[in-house]
Amino acid sequence: MNDELKIKFWGARGSYPAPGAGTVKYGGNTSCVEINAGGRTIILDAGTGIIPLGRELAKRAVQEKRGLELMLLFSHLHHDHTQGFPFFAPAYFPNTRLHVFGPGGAPETLKQVLERNQASETFPLSLRDMPAAKTFESVRESQVIVWGEEKVWVAESAWGGRPERVEGQPDAVVIRIHKSHAHPGGVYVYRITWRGKSVVYATDTEGYVGMDRKLVAFARDADLLIHDAQYSEKHYRGELAGFPSTQGYGHSTAAMAAEVAAAAETGQLILFHHDPAYPDDWVAAQESAAQTLFPDSRAAHEGLEIRLKPGFRSLLNNVAKPKPDFGSLQDGSKI
Ligand SMILES: [Zn+2]
Ligand SMILES: [Zn+2]
C-alpha cells in the first residue's frame, strides 16, 4: 500500500482572499489544506481554498462512481476559515459523508455558527439545503479524534496521555488538539498522525516572548509544522509605512514560526496565512527570513504538495530520527 502521508495546500492566504497579478505565485485563496492518509481525506479549514478542492473531490467521486467520506477540521470559526464552506461542492451530494469537527463550548455551537453563516439574509442556501450526510461535533482539547479502520470516533484522553496510535489498528489516523489562546477567541492547533508520521497545523497564532512553550511541546518531533507567519518583523512592530503595529492581533512573524520549529525539532516548516496585502515578493522575503533561522522552511503556495515518506524527516537533510512513543488508545472508547 501507499504509505506516504500527503499534504496539499489549496489556500494559504490569511484574513481575506487576495486575487490579482501580485499574488499569482503564492495564491489568493484563504486557508484550506488537504491531508490524504491512506485514501482518507482530512480537510483543515474551509477558507476559499476549499472551493477548488471541492470541485476536485467532486470530479474524483464522479470518475470513481462512489460516494465521498470526508473529515473537515476547523481551527476556529473566523470568516477566513469558514467562508468557502457554502460553496463546497461535495456537501451538495447526497452520497457524501462529512464529519465536521471544531471548537465550541456546547455540542451544538459549531453547527449553530455554520447555520448562522448561511441564514437566509446572508446566503440563499441553508445547511439543510446541503444534502450530504453531515455530523457536526464541537470537541475539547482533552479529546482525541480517531479515523479508525472502520469508523470515526472521539475518545477522551483525560488520563493525560498523548496517544498517536490505536491498539490493533495500524492504519488509524489519530488527531490530537491543542487549544491556543494566542489568537482572539482562541484557536485549535491539530496534530494529525498516521503510521508514525505527524503534521501539526498551527494557523492563527502569535508567538510569545521566549516562545509559546505549550505549542513547542505539542509540536515536538512532528515531521511537518504548518505555522502562521502573517507579518514581517517591521509590520509587526509598526515600522512599515502605512501599516499599524499588529502586536496582539493573534498572528506571527516568520521568525516566531521558525523559533517554534527549531525548538520543537520538527522536520519541515511551512509558513502559512500570508497577509493579504503582501505581494509575492514580500512573501518570498518572509521565506528567506525563516530560512536563516530554520533552513528547512518554505512558504505555502496554492498547489504545494508534500509527501511524507517513512524514515524521512527533512527534505534538506533526509535525516531519519527515532520518534518518541506517545502511547496508544483502545478501540471503541466512544464517549
Ligand atoms: Zn485566519
Ligand atoms: Zn482568526
Side-chain angles (χ1 to χ4, degrees):
M1 68 172 287
N2 186 344
D3 57 0
E4 290 176 343
L5 184 62
K6 289 182 238 164
I7 299 101
K8 186 168 179 184
F9 291 81
W10 293 85
R13 198 59 68 166
S15 306
Y16 55 85
T23 56
V24 169
K25 184 175 170 195
Y26 295 99
N29 279 310
T30 51
S31 303
C32 182
V33 181
E34 174 194 10
I35 294 188
N36 191 299
R40 278 159 297 185
T41 301
I42 297 158
I43 302 164
L44 296 162
D45 281 328
T48 57
I50 203 172
I51 302 168
L53 168 60
R55 278 198 294 267
E56 175 69 31
L57 291 169
K59 204 162 61 183
R60 228 183 276 169
V62 169
Q63 275 166 0
E64 294 171 13
K65 294 192 179 64
R66 61 176 177 89
L68 293 163
E69 186 173 9
L70 307 167
M71 183 181 286
L72 172 57
L73 306 174
F74 283 103
S75 61
H76 63 317
L77 301 171
H78 285 166
H79 274 152
D80 52 325
H81 299 259
T82 59
Q83 63 201 169
F85 187 69
F87 302 98
F88 184 51
Y92 292 91
F93 294 172
N95 60 351
T96 298
R97 283 184 70 192
L98 188 57
H99 308 273
V100 185
F101 295 97
E108 282 291 73
T109 305
L110 167 65
K111 190 177 178 192
Q112 282 168 346
V113 174
L114 295 174
E115 262 166 356
R116 214 182 324 125
N117 285 352
Q118 291 179 235
S120 57
E121 298 84 355
T122 54
F123 196 74
L125 298 165
S126 72
L127 276 194
R128 278 185 303 281
D129 296 320
M130 300 170 115
K134 308 178 288 302
T135 57
F136 298 90
E137 196 166 344
S138 296
V139 279
R140 295 187 305 274
E141 192 177 23
S142 61
Q143 295 175 317
V144 178
I145 304 163
V146 181
W147 195 338
E149 293 179 5
E150 279 159 16
K151 61 178 190 275
V152 170
W153 44 284
V154 176
E156 277 295 337
S157 68
W159 45 279
R162 298 190 295 156
E164 294 207 308
R165 55 190 167 81
V166 177
E167 286 296 333
Q169 292 194 31
D171 206 38
V173 183
V174 176
I175 300 156
R176 283 164 40 204
I177 304 161
H178 163 61
K179 181 167 184 180
S180 164
H181 298 278
H183 191 69
V187 64
Y188 277 8
V189 177
Y190 292 105
R191 182 175 176 121
I192 298 129
T193 301
W194 177 69
R195 290 192 170 268
K197 291 176 288 297
S198 303
V199 179
V200 170
Y201 179 67
T203 188
D204 295 64
T205 191
E206 182 169 350
Y208 297 129
V209 172
M211 274 180 294
D212 183 341
R213 297 197 176 274
K214 282 187 178 163
L215 178 57
V216 168
F218 187 75
R220 166 94 29 221
D221 285 308
D223 299 271
L224 181 72
L225 172 64
I226 302 166
H227 196 292
D228 190 300
Q230 179 149 351
Y231 304 126
S232 72
E233 208 67 38
K234 278 190 160 182
H235 187 174
Y236 184 80
R237 293 179 191 277
E239 295 163 3
L240 183 65
F243 292 88
S245 163
T246 56
Q247 191 184 48
Y249 282 24
H251 298 287
S252 291
T253 62
M256 289 170 184
E259 271 186 340
V260 173
E265 298 183 69
T266 66
Q268 303 169 57
L269 167 66
I270 300 294
L271 308 176
F272 191 68
H273 208 273
H274 312 311
D275 193 280
Y278 285 15
D280 288 330
D281 54 337
W282 291 23
V283 178
Q286 292 282 87
E287 195 173 56
S288 306
Q291 284 165 350
T292 59
L293 298 165
F294 191 79
D296 205 348
S297 303
R298 269 191 287 178
H301 65 81
E302 278 172 36
L304 172 63
E305 212 175 316
I306 293 168
R307 290 163 182 258
L308 297 176
K309 298 177 178 63
F312 286 87
R313 287 291 310 282
S314 155
L315 274 188
L316 286 183
N317 307 317
N318 284 347
V319 279
K321 191 180 157 201
K323 295 183 78 177
D325 184 358
F326 293 113
S328 64
L329 280 166
Q330 300 295 321
D331 182 18
S333 40
K334 172 83 186 152
I335 49 143

